[in-house]
Amino acid sequence: MIVIMEKDYLKKDLNLVIDRIHREGLRAEPIIGVERTVVAVVGDITEIPEMKSNLEETPGVAEVQRISTPYKLSSRQVQKEDTIVDVSGVKFGAKNIVVIAGPCAVESEKQTVETAIAVKKSGAKVLRGGAFKPRASPYSFQGLEKEGLKILSKARKETGLPVATEVISPEDVELVSEYSDILQIGARNAQNFPLLKKCGKAKRPIILKRGLGETIEEWLLSAEYILEGGNKNVILCERGIRTFEVATRFTLDIDAIPLTKNLSHLPVIGDPSHGTGKRILVKPVAKACIAAGADGLIIEVHPNPEQAKSDSPQQLNFSEFEILMREVRKIARADGRKL
Amino acid sequence: MIVIMEKDYLKKDLNLVIDRIHREGLRAEPIIGVERTVVAVVGDITEIPEMKSNLEETPGVAEVQRISTPYKLSSRQVQKEDTIVDVSGVKFGAKNIVVIAGPCAVESEKQTVETAIAVKKSGAKVLRGGAFKPRASPYSFQGLEKEGLKILSKARKETGLPVATEVISPEDVELVSEYSDILQIGARNAQNFPLLKKCGKAKRPIILKRGLGETIEEWLLSAEYILEGGNKNVILCERGIRTFEVATRFTLDIDAIPLTKNLSHLPVIGDPSHGTGKRILVKPVAKACIAAGADGLIIEVHPNPEQAKSDSPQQLNFSEFEILMREVRKIARADGRKL
Amino acid sequence: MIVIMEKDYLKKDLNLVIDRIHREGLRAEPIIGVERTVVAVVGDITEIPEMKSNLEETPGVAEVQRISTPYKLSSRQVQKEDTIVDVSGVKFGAKNIVVIAGPCAVESEKQTVETAIAVKKSGAKVLRGGAFKPRASPYSFQGLEKEGLKILSKARKETGLPVATEVISPEDVELVSEYSDILQIGARNAQNFPLLKKCGKAKRPIILKRGLGETIEEWLLSAEYILEGGNKNVILCERGIRTFEVATRFTLDIDAIPLTKNLSHLPVIGDPSHGTGKRILVKPVAKACIAAGADGLIIEVHPNPEQAKSDSPQQLNFSEFEILMREVRKIARADGRKL
Amino acid sequence: MIVIMEKDYLKKDLNLVIDRIHREGLRAEPIIGVERTVVAVVGDITEIPEMKSNLEETPGVAEVQRISTPYKLSSRQVQKEDTIVDVSGVKFGAKNIVVIAGPCAVESEKQTVETAIAVKKSGAKVLRGGAFKPRASPYSFQGLEKEGLKILSKARKETGLPVATEVISPEDVELVSEYSDILQIGARNAQNFPLLKKCGKAKRPIILKRGLGETIEEWLLSAEYILEGGNKNVILCERGIRTFEVATRFTLDIDAIPLTKNLSHLPVIGDPSHGTGKRILVKPVAKACIAAGADGLIIEVHPNPEQAKSDSPQQLNFSEFEILMREVRKIARADGRKL
């Protein structure tokens, strides 16, 4: 940590800064510059989170800058090698690319099983489908809930595909874990800390979507909540952030994919369905995610997108998905990877 | 609702659009223009939320535009007169301005009671204090939880001030309701729908903070979840949104204050502590909120901000708060209101 | 155009709306709905730009919505087939991918010629290099100006590569046109309308970068200024927008690449150097741009990035560029295109 | 400047860093910490702008942090006392509040003179009016240009009000200076550096609007271009930034007003017309700007807003402006200032 003093600080302010550092058992190294004076804090400060603000509050202090990342367990500095998340033999974070596909919402057994069969045929390795739906409006379809979970189980039985579904409340973590192979934490719950903590104790791997107003650093801190609880199986998912652009539903942050893989050892997948919100953009942006180094994709597929109860404008039909898979496969191969 | 056809739509596409509208018992009014053809949907569509996307998905359709707001109960179109939220005699949304003040986090009985006495003396009408703290990092102070609630109760007993505190999980709504006069939903839970629903059934008024990536429309839809559950006592709180500006912690959206009051009958307060993140900006931005028409303020105050366990750079000490109140009072009077 | 009336509009307001539409020689089609009344404006309104606001200002009017794009010449509705921009035989917008590469700033003849030779060897088809540098700070290196243009000419002579360089003032358009094969309009000048108009009269093709706070619609309107002036050779360049994320310099809007190609017939290239601002991200994001359908790339390359006078952290050295080209080529091929 | 080394840096990397610092005649102070090693650069680096990136590029370096602001002349660290900009006796930055008002665009002599008389009567001290209009679309009204400047002169003659108008091209600075008392640089030209430089040589005070995607630091650097050219009379104008919120045209950054006044000695005014884009929000946000400490306002006023050729939805009519002035005056007085 580096403490930068105001230009016109008083001698006693500097002494107070040094005092406060010493009081915590750390070493203080003041550097008196021509233009500015700074004090370097030497020692391990991870156990003293309030230190930064204490110093910021000391009279005569202009700024305090951290020089290490606030997340630890999710950091590549702590673990060099990639984490591989294994879901019933499907491996995220290994060289192969994994595609998760299925309807935005589970609407019926027929719709779900039909979709599961179709996406499996095209090469998807995991089935997705929402049973608990977080919707901006209370008047929108809220999901089939437990009934939806049962349908997902049936679809797994029919196809052998492991299942991923969203959990939106800490109280539901156990219930959803019974039925689903992967728990998904959605963008709107990216900083729902009780939910993150509960998922840290869950037996299932977690897909952690990035919040729509969340920085990459905060995203990794959210992952930290899960890792810190003991659950090491976290898959990060970039799904678009909120920007001023109104022509797309969100802006998929393509930079975030290679950057997050650089900062963290966790697998990173892309969600071009939510990241664009427009059917015609899903395929090109899916290809871009893979070219940028994503470990997989999550894609919304529906037998009749125009009749879907949610996210209708961004779901693909079976043949659109088949074409997407064919093209993504080529990109993966060009990149020396398999799908 | 207005359906705008593609330039090169086919006759059968138009017929399909009209069909789909009729099937829902609504009237379709096609207008064949020189440049474009549009179809107006006449009738009440609030009960048919999937209608918009169904039409968007029809071949030949370029766009579908809503012409009424998706929220109802929170809309001023539905209720012209201001909602007044009464908390033990303290009225939000009436002509008087209400200031809520207190520490970011409850740290000890001494700190909390001392602060309660000080802010009351300066004119605050409600005490705030966090017992359950949503923190970006799992390594940061997470609050005293139930112990904190008890301390808040003591502070109420000592000062007579009603108490507002945050609830971060649906499971805690009942517990927090026992101790607190107002429940606060924080920015990171602005779209935590299970929590919103639970608060819709709570006996306590709710302060609903705007999410940091949430549009005003979505914010009112979040309020709608609470109102729809039966709890009519919602106070909206603008607390800053995420923008590209890095010199402040968030950007307080001053436009949102008069606009939201125009769109909705609910009281709106401002949070200049989080909306700026910098002590020197709290007072001027507090004054701005009142001048823009806010019904109140929520301000972080701490006996020794530099030793606070959270939000240290933005908390005011007692004399800073006293000065803020004095200046805010003058602005309120200039605006024909009282504090 | 669609005029949406307030819920409580008066009969005479509606008549005034209809009157104003008729006065312009257009047809008005009122539709009286259960919840809302709307009036459709039938006829060509492109010549009456003030019409929208006139109607918005009429008492009783809630909103006026356009139903066609405000840009024409750049729209794919007006021209279905792709525009191909030919620069001395190098074709942008055809199936082949074109890579422009070179230093951020021309610093010396040696640096520029050396780079030109190296990037040509790796497969670049156009040399870039800044002679007039728009810099946020007046204390930063401002470019070699005319001297820089001469150096670029020499590099062209040595290598045969056509040259692209930025023009930052209308007064310089002619001078820069003498030396450069392509004129570039930078992100900070994306809405410098006198410059756009002047470039509309220039003899050289234009690379039009998207402004860092510019929507896609505004970007196409900026292109419209050039096309409307008579210069049909416009290449659009997505170079990252400003968002709340601070871990990257800008956020490259990958969605914008396929979307803009869908809305417009103009070629679209990507700039992963500025769009990320970080050397390690340039290669993966370059690959993503091509996978998303970009017609080319513009990449900053420098013999010794660490000694560059500008944009040092994002320039590649020769061997990094060579590797980038090799990997981008594979992606291009996988996509059925050549580089 | 502080150089932060990677965790696994090599001894020779550190030596190279120290070398590079010494080579520039500066002192290097390495601090070997438990977790990290940092090197403080001691000495004046303002003349060595490339230093930061040179160090960033040195192998083994993780990050380089500046510890002083990149702007100098506009900084309050350099000049403690407020700059007062005097325009024919009207003083910006003194205790009094100055309101600039007038039409978005000069449309005719009658409209302009009429407005000048009206706004003067209500207390405005400067007349605004656009002669050169920067418009997103080439099909929108582009202003009366020189004819407009002459009309402004007439309005000044009639009313005695000094005049402010926008200049959009370096070539026009002299022409506009002949007719106008203040030159305005618009948001879209906030980083038009040739224009900024030319205004640095102009004889007239400058209103510098903040760019819609510009950080406060960049804004002050833009001011620096003008100050550095010798023109000390710069008035900063916060006019709203681009955010994800779509309910308003822009988001007026209220935090920026007190923060910029804290960082800089230059006067700061607010533009609630552009900062909101909605007539009903202009008055409350104008009041907020003053309460936040703005030195003045710039407000769009038109005899018949609904017939305005530009910015129709945000212009006030005369009686709306009169009411605004009355309420703003009360806020100013409550704040111990006059209007």
Side-chain angles (χ1 to χ4, degrees):
Chain A
M1 202 144 52
I2 297 290
V3 182
I4 301 158
M5 304 300 293
E6 297 279 4
K7 289 214 164 171
D8 50 1
Y9 73 93
L10 305 176
K11 190 76 207 305
K12 64 174 181 135
D13 300 338
L14 182 62
N15 289 339
L16 188 52
V17 165
I18 294 170
D19 246 38
R20 286 191 168 171
I21 295 167
H22 287 169
R23 228 185 300 152
E24 304 287 354
L26 303 166
R27 196 148 56 86
E29 294 273 9
I31 303 130
I32 317 292
V34 172
E35 209 190 340
R36 281 296 181 93
T37 289
V38 302
V39 184
V41 182
V42 185
D44 185 4
I45 56 157
T46 53
E47 303 303 312
I48 325 167
E50 67 279 19
M51 181 102 205
K52 180 161 184 278
S53 47
N54 283 359
L55 289 171
E56 276 167 348
E57 289 311 305
T58 311
V61 169
E63 217 178 316
V64 179
Q65 293 175 343
R66 258 188 347 229
I67 57 173
S68 52
T69 61
Y71 46 85
K72 309 269 152 199
L73 302 173
S74 53
S75 168
R76 206 175 270 281
Q77 293 185 353
V78 166
Q79 179 187 318
K80 292 271 177 211
E81 64 282 3
D82 289 339
T83 283
I84 292 172
V85 176
D86 187 322
V87 185
S88 321
V90 177
K91 294 196 171 92
F92 291 84
K95 249 200 153 184
N96 288 0
I97 282 159
V98 181
V99 177
I100 304 169
C104 173
V106 173
E107 295 167 9
S108 72
E109 187 179 322
K110 185 172 175 302
Q111 165 243 23
T112 306
V113 173
E114 223 175 283
T115 307
I117 292 168
V119 300
K120 186 185 179 186
K121 211 181 117 203
S122 297
K125 292 280 181 274
V126 179
L127 175 69
R128 63 149 288 154
F132 294 88
K133 297 301 303 169
R135 304 301 301 277
S137 165
Y139 308 120
S140 301
F141 176 59
Q142 306 274 320
L144 297 181
E145 308 196 344
K146 195 171 172 179
E147 184 54 29
L149 297 176
K150 287 182 182 165
I151 291 173
L152 286 169
S153 283
K154 275 196 191 148
R156 174 178 43 209
K157 219 174 143 188
E158 293 282 339
T159 58
L161 291 182
V163 156
T165 199
E166 184 163 355
V167 57
I168 61 174
S169 184
E171 330 178 31
D172 298 333
V173 169
E174 271 165 61
L175 174 71
V176 178
S177 295
E178 271 176 53
Y179 290 90
S180 186
D181 303 276
I182 308 183
L183 307 182
Q184 182 186 306
I185 298 176
R188 282 159 187 87
N189 285 311
Q191 293 193 303
N192 181 335
F193 304 112
L195 180 61
L196 293 169
K197 283 180 185 169
K198 201 71 183 278
C199 286
K201 299 296 179 198
K203 299 270 154 46
R204 302 293 183 190
I206 309 295
I207 293 175
L208 177 63
K209 292 205 163 185
R210 179 177 179 190
L212 42 90
E214 204 181 22
T215 63
I216 292 171
E217 183 174 298
E218 290 171 337
W219 187 20
L220 291 174
L221 280 168
S222 289
E224 198 80 3
Y225 268 95
I226 304 170
L227 298 171
E228 214 265 338
N231 188 345
K232 302 300 179 200
N233 293 305
V234 176
I235 300 159
L236 298 169
C237 178
E238 164 58 38
R239 49 79 69 209
I241 56 172
R242 206 141 239 185
T243 71
F244 65 82
E245 180 54 67
V246 290
T248 46
R249 194 170 166 201
F250 295 99
T251 300
L252 189 131
D253 183 357
I254 195 79
D255 298 356
I257 292 174
L259 182 56
T260 308
K261 285 200 67 68
N262 189 262
L263 295 171
S264 175
H265 50 84
L266 297 171
V268 178
I269 65 174
D271 175 352
S273 304
H274 289 89
T276 66
K278 271 187 170 0
R279 178 165 310 122
I280 54 158
L281 304 182
V282 174
K283 189 184 70 179
V285 175
K287 290 160 71 180
C289 288
I290 296 307
D295 296 300
L297 296 168
I298 181 162
I299 309 274
E300 289 189 349
V301 179
H302 191 283
N304 292 294
E306 64 268 29
Q307 282 161 23
K309 296 201 172 189
S310 57
D311 279 358
S312 167
Q314 76 198 26
Q315 302 205 53
L316 302 187
N317 64 30
F318 297 163
S319 75
E320 288 165 334
F321 180 65
E322 169 65 22
I323 295 167
L324 176 148
M325 287 297 277
R326 217 180 297 153
E327 298 196 18
V328 165
R329 196 171 283 123
K330 285 182 201 164
I331 299 292
R333 269 183 211 148
D335 206 43
R337 300 189 290 165
K338 264 201 251 173
L339 182 146
Chain B
M1 202 142 59
I2 297 291
V3 181
I4 301 158
M5 304 300 292
E6 296 280 5
K7 287 212 166 172
D8 50 1
Y9 73 93
L10 304 177
K11 189 75 205 307
K12 64 172 181 136
D13 299 338
L14 182 63
N15 289 339
L16 188 51
V17 165
I18 293 169
D19 246 39
R20 284 189 169 172
I21 296 167
H22 287 169
R23 229 185 300 153
E24 303 289 351
L26 303 166
R27 196 147 56 86
E29 294 272 8
I31 303 130
I32 316 293
V34 172
E35 208 189 341
R36 280 296 180 91
T37 289
V38 302
V39 183
V41 182
V42 185
D44 184 3
I45 56 157
T46 53
E47 303 302 315
I48 324 167
E50 68 279 20
M51 180 101 205
K52 181 162 184 276
S53 48
N54 283 358
L55 289 171
E56 277 168 347
E57 289 311 304
T58 311
V61 169
E63 215 179 318
V64 179
Q65 294 175 343
R66 258 188 347 229
I67 58 173
S68 51
T69 61
Y71 46 85
K72 308 272 151 196
L73 303 173
S74 53
S75 168
R76 208 176 267 283
Q77 294 184 353
V78 166
Q79 180 188 318
K80 292 271 176 213
E81 63 281 3
D82 289 338
T83 283
I84 292 173
V85 176
D86 187 322
V87 186
S88 321
V90 177
K91 294 195 170 92
F92 289 84
K95 250 198 151 185
N96 288 359
I97 281 157
V98 180
V99 177
I100 303 169
C104 173
V106 172
E107 296 167 7
S108 72
E109 187 179 324
K110 185 170 175 302
Q111 166 244 22
T112 306
V113 173
E114 222 175 284
T115 307
I117 293 169
V119 301
K120 186 186 180 186
K121 210 180 118 204
S122 297
K125 292 279 181 277
V126 178
L127 175 68
R128 64 148 287 154
F132 295 87
K133 296 300 305 167
R135 303 302 299 279
S137 167
Y139 308 119
S140 301
F141 176 59
Q142 306 274 320
L144 297 181
E145 309 196 344
K146 193 169 175 183
E147 185 54 29
L149 296 176
K150 287 181 183 165
I151 291 174
L152 285 169
S153 283
K154 275 197 191 146
R156 174 176 44 208
K157 218 173 143 188
E158 293 281 340
T159 57
L161 291 182
V163 156
T165 199
E166 184 163 353
V167 57
I168 60 174
S169 185
E171 331 179 32
D172 298 331
V173 169
E174 271 164 60
L175 174 71
V176 178
S177 295
E178 271 175 53
Y179 290 90
S180 185
D181 302 276
I182 308 183
L183 308 182
Q184 182 184 306
I185 298 175
R188 282 160 188 85
N189 285 312
Q191 293 193 305
N192 181 336
F193 304 113
L195 180 61
L196 292 169
K197 283 179 185 169
K198 201 70 182 281
C199 286
K201 299 296 179 198
K203 300 269 154 46
R204 301 295 183 189
I206 309 295
I207 292 175
L208 177 63
K209 292 206 164 186
R210 180 176 178 189
L212 41 90
E214 205 182 23
T215 63
I216 292 172
E217 184 174 298
E218 289 171 336
W219 187 19
L220 291 174
L221 279 168
S222 289
E224 198 80 4
Y225 267 95
I226 304 170
L227 297 172
E228 215 264 339
N231 188 346
K232 302 301 177 199
N233 293 305
V234 176
I235 300 160
L236 299 168
C237 178
E238 164 59 38
R239 51 78 69 208
I241 56 172
R242 206 140 241 184
T243 70
F244 65 81
E245 181 55 68
V246 290
T248 46
R249 195 170 165 201
F250 295 99
T251 300
L252 189 130
D253 182 358
I254 195 79
D255 298 357
I257 292 175
L259 182 57
T260 308
K261 284 199 69 68
N262 189 261
L263 295 171
S264 175
H265 50 83
L266 297 171
V268 178
I269 65 174
D271 175 352
S273 304
H274 289 89
T276 67
K278 271 187 166 10
R279 179 165 309 122
I280 54 157
L281 303 182
V282 175
K283 189 183 70 176
V285 175
K287 291 160 72 179
C289 288
I290 297 306
D295 296 300
L297 296 168
I298 182 161
I299 309 274
E300 290 189 348
V301 178
H302 192 282
N304 292 294
E306 64 267 30
Q307 282 161 23
K309 297 202 171 188
S310 57
D311 278 359
S312 166
Q314 76 199 27
Q315 302 205 53
L316 303 187
N317 65 30
F318 297 163
S319 74
E320 288 165 334
F321 180 65
E322 168 67 21
I323 294 167
L324 176 147
M325 287 296 278
R326 218 180 295 153
E327 297 196 18
V328 165
R329 196 172 282 121
K330 284 182 201 164
I331 298 292
R333 270 185 211 145
D335 207 42
R337 300 189 290 166
K338 265 200 252 174
L339 183 147
Chain C
M1 203 143 54
I2 297 291
V3 181
I4 301 158
M5 304 300 293
E6 297 278 6
K7 289 213 164 170
D8 50 1
Y9 73 93
L10 303 177
K11 189 75 205 306
K12 64 172 182 137
D13 300 338
L14 182 62
N15 289 339
L16 188 52
V17 165
I18 293 170
D19 247 38
R20 286 192 166 169
I21 295 167
H22 288 168
R23 231 187 298 154
E24 304 288 353
L26 303 166
R27 196 149 56 87
E29 294 273 9
I31 303 130
I32 317 292
V34 171
E35 209 189 340
R36 281 295 181 92
T37 289
V38 301
V39 184
V41 182
V42 185
D44 185 3
I45 56 156
T46 53
E47 303 303 312
I48 324 166
E50 67 279 19
M51 180 101 203
K52 180 161 185 277
S53 48
N54 283 358
L55 289 171
E56 276 167 349
E57 289 311 303
T58 312
V61 169
E63 215 179 317
V64 179
Q65 293 175 343
R66 259 189 345 231
I67 57 173
S68 51
T69 61
Y71 47 86
K72 309 269 152 200
L73 302 173
S74 53
S75 168
R76 207 176 268 280
Q77 293 185 353
V78 166
Q79 179 188 318
K80 292 272 177 211
E81 63 281 5
D82 288 339
T83 283
I84 292 173
V85 176
D86 187 323
V87 186
S88 321
V90 177
K91 294 196 172 92
F92 290 85
K95 249 200 153 185
N96 287 359
I97 282 158
V98 181
V99 177
I100 304 169
C104 173
V106 173
E107 296 167 8
S108 72
E109 187 178 322
K110 186 172 176 301
Q111 166 243 23
T112 306
V113 174
E114 222 175 284
T115 307
I117 293 169
V119 300
K120 186 186 178 185
K121 211 180 116 203
S122 297
K125 292 280 181 276
V126 179
L127 175 68
R128 62 149 290 152
F132 295 87
K133 296 300 303 169
R135 304 301 301 278
S137 165
Y139 308 120
S140 300
F141 176 58
Q142 307 274 321
L144 296 181
E145 308 195 344
K146 194 170 173 180
E147 186 52 31
L149 296 176
K150 286 181 183 166
I151 292 174
L152 285 168
S153 283
K154 276 197 191 145
R156 175 179 41 209
K157 219 174 142 189
E158 293 282 340
T159 59
L161 291 182
V163 156
T165 200
E166 185 164 353
V167 57
I168 62 174
S169 184
E171 329 177 34
D172 298 333
V173 169
E174 271 164 61
L175 174 71
V176 178
S177 294
E178 271 176 53
Y179 289 90
S180 186
D181 302 276
I182 308 183
L183 307 182
Q184 182 185 306
I185 297 176
R188 282 158 188 87
N189 285 311
Q191 293 193 304
N192 181 335
F193 304 112
L195 180 61
L196 293 169
K197 283 179 186 171
K198 202 70 182 281
C199 286
K201 299 296 179 199
K203 300 268 155 46
R204 303 293 183 190
I206 309 295
I207 293 175
L208 177 64
K209 292 206 164 185
R210 179 178 179 189
L212 43 89
E214 204 181 22
T215 62
I216 291 172
E217 183 175 297
E218 289 171 336
W219 186 20
L220 291 174
L221 280 168
S222 289
E224 197 80 4
Y225 268 95
I226 304 169
L227 297 172
E228 213 264 339
N231 188 346
K232 301 300 179 201
N233 293 305
V234 176
I235 300 159
L236 299 168
C237 178
E238 164 58 37
R239 48 80 69 209
I241 55 172
R242 207 141 239 186
T243 70
F244 65 81
E245 180 54 68
V246 291
T248 46
R249 194 170 166 202
F250 295 99
T251 300
L252 189 131
D253 182 358
I254 195 78
D255 298 357
I257 292 175
L259 182 57
T260 307
K261 285 200 69 65
N262 189 262
L263 296 171
S264 176
H265 50 83
L266 297 171
V268 179
I269 65 174
D271 175 351
S273 304
H274 289 90
T276 66
K278 271 187 170 3
R279 178 164 311 121
I280 54 158
L281 304 182
V282 174
K283 189 184 69 178
V285 175
K287 290 160 71 180
C289 289
I290 297 307
D295 296 300
L297 296 168
I298 181 163
I299 309 274
E300 290 190 348
V301 179
H302 191 282
N304 291 295
E306 64 267 30
Q307 281 161 24
K309 296 200 172 189
S310 57
D311 279 358
S312 167
Q314 76 199 26
Q315 301 205 53
L316 303 187
N317 64 30
F318 297 163
S319 76
E320 288 164 334
F321 181 66
E322 169 66 21
I323 295 167
L324 176 147
M325 288 297 278
R326 216 179 300 153
E327 297 197 17
V328 165
R329 195 171 285 123
K330 285 183 200 162
I331 299 292
R333 269 185 213 147
D335 206 41
R337 300 189 290 166
K338 263 200 253 175
L339 183 147
Chain D
M1 202 141 58
I2 297 290
V3 181
I4 301 158
M5 304 300 293
E6 295 280 5
K7 289 212 165 174
D8 49 1
Y9 73 94
L10 304 176
K11 190 77 204 306
K12 64 171 181 138
D13 300 337
L14 183 62
N15 289 339
L16 188 51
V17 165
I18 293 169
D19 246 37
R20 285 188 168 172
I21 295 167
H22 287 170
R23 230 186 298 152
E24 303 288 351
L26 303 166
R27 196 146 57 85
E29 294 272 9
I31 303 130
I32 316 294
V34 172
E35 208 188 342
R36 281 294 181 93
T37 289
V38 302
V39 183
V41 181
V42 185
D44 185 4
I45 56 156
T46 53
E47 304 302 314
I48 324 166
E50 68 278 20
M51 180 100 203
K52 181 162 185 277
S53 47
N54 283 359
L55 289 171
E56 276 168 348
E57 289 311 306
T58 312
V61 169
E63 216 178 318
V64 179
Q65 294 175 343
R66 258 188 348 230
I67 58 172
S68 51
T69 62
Y71 46 86
K72 308 270 150 199
L73 302 173
S74 54
S75 168
R76 206 176 268 282
Q77 294 184 354
V78 166
Q79 179 188 318
K80 291 273 176 210
E81 63 281 5
D82 288 339
T83 283
I84 291 173
V85 175
D86 187 323
V87 186
S88 321
V90 177
K91 294 196 170 93
F92 290 84
K95 249 200 152 185
N96 287 359
I97 281 158
V98 180
V99 177
I100 303 169
C104 173
V106 173
E107 296 167 8
S108 72
E109 187 179 323
K110 185 171 175 301
Q111 166 243 22
T112 306
V113 173
E114 223 175 283
T115 307
I117 293 169
V119 301
K120 186 186 180 184
K121 210 180 118 201
S122 298
K125 292 280 182 277
V126 178
L127 175 68
R128 64 148 287 153
F132 294 88
K133 297 300 303 167
R135 303 302 299 277
S137 167
Y139 308 119
S140 301
F141 176 58
Q142 307 273 321
L144 297 181
E145 308 195 346
K146 193 169 173 182
E147 185 54 29
L149 296 175
K150 286 181 184 167
I151 291 173
L152 285 169
S153 283
K154 275 197 192 147
R156 174 177 43 209
K157 219 173 143 189
E158 293 281 340
T159 57
L161 292 183
V163 155
T165 200
E166 184 163 353
V167 56
I168 61 174
S169 185
E171 333 178 30
D172 298 332
V173 169
E174 271 164 60
L175 174 71
V176 178
S177 295
E178 271 176 53
Y179 291 90
S180 186
D181 303 276
I182 307 183
L183 307 182
Q184 181 184 306
I185 298 176
R188 281 158 189 87
N189 285 311
Q191 294 194 304
N192 181 336
F193 304 113
L195 180 61
L196 293 169
K197 283 179 185 169
K198 201 71 183 280
C199 286
K201 299 297 178 199
K203 299 268 154 47
R204 303 295 184 188
I206 308 296
I207 293 175
L208 177 63
K209 292 205 164 186
R210 179 177 178 189
L212 41 89
E214 205 182 22
T215 62
I216 291 171
E217 184 174 296
E218 290 171 335
W219 188 19
L220 291 174
L221 280 168
S222 289
E224 198 80 3
Y225 267 95
I226 304 169
L227 298 172
E228 215 264 338
N231 188 345
K232 301 301 178 200
N233 293 305
V234 176
I235 299 159
L236 298 168
C237 178
E238 163 59 37
R239 51 77 70 208
I241 56 172
R242 205 139 242 184
T243 70
F244 65 81
E245 180 56 66
V246 291
T248 46
R249 196 170 164 201
F250 295 100
T251 301
L252 189 131
D253 182 358
I254 195 79
D255 298 357
I257 292 175
L259 182 57
T260 308
K261 285 199 69 67
N262 189 262
L263 295 171
S264 175
H265 49 84
L266 297 171
V268 179
I269 65 174
D271 175 351
S273 304
H274 289 89
T276 67
K278 270 187 168 7
R279 179 165 309 121
I280 54 158
L281 304 182
V282 175
K283 189 183 70 177
V285 175
K287 290 160 72 179
C289 288
I290 297 306
D295 295 300
L297 297 168
I298 182 161
I299 308 274
E300 290 190 348
V301 179
H302 191 283
N304 291 294
E306 65 267 29
Q307 282 162 23
K309 296 201 172 189
S310 58
D311 279 359
S312 167
Q314 75 199 28
Q315 302 205 52
L316 302 188
N317 65 29
F318 297 163
S319 74
E320 287 164 335
F321 180 65
E322 168 67 21
I323 294 167
L324 176 147
M325 287 296 278
R326 217 181 296 154
E327 298 197 17
V328 165
R329 196 172 283 122
K330 284 182 199 164
I331 298 292
R333 269 186 210 145
D335 206 41
R337 300 190 289 166
K338 264 201 252 174
L339 182 147

